[in-house]
């Protein structure tokens, strides 16, 4: 039996919103190089899609954040587990 999946936000709506965000970033930073920082792993696809829409120099960085430790409930304390840094140009 197939599980019913409800689409809450369409891919078209997401793409349109990312276009709006890219436009705002470009206006705010006037073509300067920016660094996008992504919390792994859930944000990678969205960050890449945003980066593709930006018409300016972009670098990317990634961090792994945890508030769960070994449990299944948040401890309320955020721990940055990893921070990857881009090589200098």
């Amino acid at each position: 039996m197939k599980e019913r999946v409800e689409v809450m936000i369409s891919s078209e709506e997401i793409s349109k919103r990312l276009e709006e965000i890219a436009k705002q970033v470009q206006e705010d930073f006037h073509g300067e190089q920016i660094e996008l920082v992504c919390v792994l792993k859930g944000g990678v696809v969205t960050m890449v899609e945003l980066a593709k829409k930006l018409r300016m120099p972009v670098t990317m960085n990634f961090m792994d954040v945890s508030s769960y430790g070994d449990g299944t409930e948040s401890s309320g304390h955020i721990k940055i587990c990893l921070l990857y840094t881009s090589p200098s140009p």
Side-chain angles (χ1 to χ4, degrees):
M1 181 167 93
K2 282 192 172 185
E3 184 177 325
R4 183 172 180 261
V5 176
E6 180 181 349
V7 176
M8 297 177 72
I9 303 173
S10 71
S11 59
E12 293 81 12
E13 290 173 296
I14 294 169
S15 182
K16 181 181 179 210
R17 183 64 181 126
L18 287 173
E19 288 282 353
E20 294 167 354
I21 293 168
K23 182 180 177 187
Q24 186 65 55
V25 168
Q26 290 166 173
E27 288 174 7
D28 291 349
F29 292 94
H30 307 289
E32 295 176 41
Q33 179 168 331
I34 63 166
E35 181 170 39
L36 300 176
V37 178
C38 177
V39 176
L40 293 173
K41 300 175 182 161
V44 171
V45 172
T46 302
M47 185 176 77
V48 169
E49 289 301 313
L50 174 61
K52 291 190 312 189
K53 295 177 184 308
L54 291 168
R55 302 292 173 239
M56 59 197 303
V58 173
T59 59
M60 295 182 197
N61 211 330
F62 303 89
M63 56 195 287
D64 190 5
V65 178
S66 174
S67 66
Y68 290 85
D70 293 331
T72 58
E73 290 187 29
S74 176
S75 67
H77 296 83
I78 297 173
K79 178 181 175 187
I80 297 175
C81 302
L82 301 170
L83 180 62
Y84 302 94
T85 55
S86 305
S88 298

